[in-house]
Amino acid sequence: GPCIEVRGGGKTYASARGPVTALTDVGLAVQEGEFLSLLGPSGCGKSTLLRAIAGLDPLTSGTIMLRGVPITRPPERMGMVFQRDVLLDWRSIRDNVLLAAEFQGLPRRAHEARAMALLDRFGLGAFAERHPWELSGGMRQRAAICRALLCEPEILLMDEPFGALDAMTRDDLNLELSRIQQDGARTVVFVTHSIAEAVYLSDRVAVMSTGPGRVVEVFDIDLPRP
Ligand code: ADP
Ligand code: ADP
């Protein structure tokens, strides 16, 4: 069966101006090992759906199954990269990456070598002892990706990780993809409003539309991979 399955997914937020329906009747299946992008305009509910899959903010109707089991809380073996990197300014880059182990109550010592290997792979080896404010936005996002990969997640969720950056070239994206896929993170759900990012990075693209948010079409992408 699928790795992640959303059935009849609906989300209505309560807000000061009354209820806001962000998602309605979303159906989506993400297969084991695939890289799937959620593509759609701002406000169509991409972040809402990703947060629900992460177990951070539940749907108000429908179900999300992880390998056949309904999600009720943030699952283990899941890594998440947010739109804005959420690095702690008073910790070094290496210690920010090691936070992922601390959050899960895993021994820090056992993860130090992997943290350095990840930072090397993402071109940040020389910046391990620097602090977030000393790095560019792109470097900070790559550090956040290292943190999400530290504990070898089986599922990686990314919410516009490159969204705050200038448009990336196809070569840039292929490089990031190869870094992400080199080990761990077999199943990836990637949120973007950029068609180029979705096409260059994904095996499949689920297109969402507003009014209210739903998945309107799913495309296979058949591009040669790096
Ligand atoms: P996105 O770029 O994904 O649309 P936004 O920048 O619109 O995200 O939203 C940033 C944060 O504000 C999110 O945590 C989101 O949940 C929250 N948010 C977005 N829209 C509203 C709203 N209408 N009322 C309250 N919070 C909102
Ligand atoms: P996207 O990620 O595609 O930009 P979002 O999931 O951030 O879309 O938002 C979908 C809709 O839900 C938008 O209309 C947004 O304003 C609304 N929304 C998001 N978060 C909140 C929130 N915390 N409270 C109220 N409305 C929200």
Side-chain angles (χ1 to χ4, degrees):
C3 178
I4 303 164
E5 188 168 17
V6 184
R7 284 195 208 149
K11 176 75 175 186
T12 300
Y13 290 103
S15 83
R17 278 170 288 158
V20 177
T21 297
L23 296 172
T24 185
D25 198 25
V26 169
L28 181 69
V30 185
Q31 306 304 325
E32 294 284 353
E34 81 170 332
F35 193 123
L36 180 131
S37 287
L38 293 174
L39 173 70
S42 184
C44 73
K46 303 181 298 293
S47 300
T48 298
L49 182 57
L50 201 73
R51 285 199 303 266
I53 292 171
L56 296 174
D57 191 3
L59 296 176
T60 43
S61 59
T63 54
I64 301 180
M65 313 273 266
L66 199 64
R67 299 189 175 121
V69 180
I71 290 180
T72 52
R73 62 191 173 83
E76 288 165 24
R77 313 306 306 268
M78 188 181 269
M80 176 124 188
V81 181
F82 298 91
Q83 221 166 39
R84 253 179 51 80
D85 70 81
V86 277
L87 303 178
L88 303 180
D89 258 336
W90 60 89
R91 281 186 164 229
S92 70
I93 293 300
R94 187 186 57 146
D95 284 354
N96 266 286
V97 173
L98 284 164
L99 267 178
E102 292 172 35
F103 281 150
Q104 295 194 29
L106 300 170
R108 182 192 150 94
R109 290 291 302 273
H111 289 83
E112 280 172 354
R114 177 162 168 83
M116 282 310 302
L118 281 166
L119 287 170
D120 279 338
R121 183 192 307 161
F122 280 80
L124 296 171
F127 296 86
E129 300 308 324
R130 301 292 189 89
H131 287 77
W133 40 270
E134 299 179 90
L135 273 59
S136 72
M139 294 166 89
R140 286 202 301 270
Q141 277 298 15
R142 294 208 300 276
I145 294 172
C146 290
R147 182 170 61 193
L149 291 172
L150 182 72
C151 296
E152 301 179 56
E154 292 173 345
I155 300 168
L156 180 65
L157 307 178
M158 295 196 280
D159 192 350
E160 305 218 29
F162 314 123
L165 312 178
D166 292 338
M168 294 177 80
T169 66
R170 186 175 176 181
D171 282 349
D172 295 335
L173 289 169
N174 279 335
L175 176 61
E176 299 306 333
L177 179 66
S178 62
R179 285 166 163 164
I180 291 163
Q181 292 194 326
Q182 207 147 4
D183 75 316
R186 290 198 306 276
T187 305
V188 181
V189 183
F190 182 89
V191 161
T192 184
H193 63 259
S194 157
I195 295 173
E197 281 186 9
V199 167
Y200 292 149
L201 293 171
S202 317
D203 301 311
R204 286 196 306 150
V205 179
V207 180
M208 296 181 66
S209 76
T210 38
R214 61 200 177 89
V215 173
V216 288
E217 197 144 8
V218 181
F219 291 98
D220 287 318
I221 304 295
D222 197 10
L223 280 179
R225 292 290 154 212

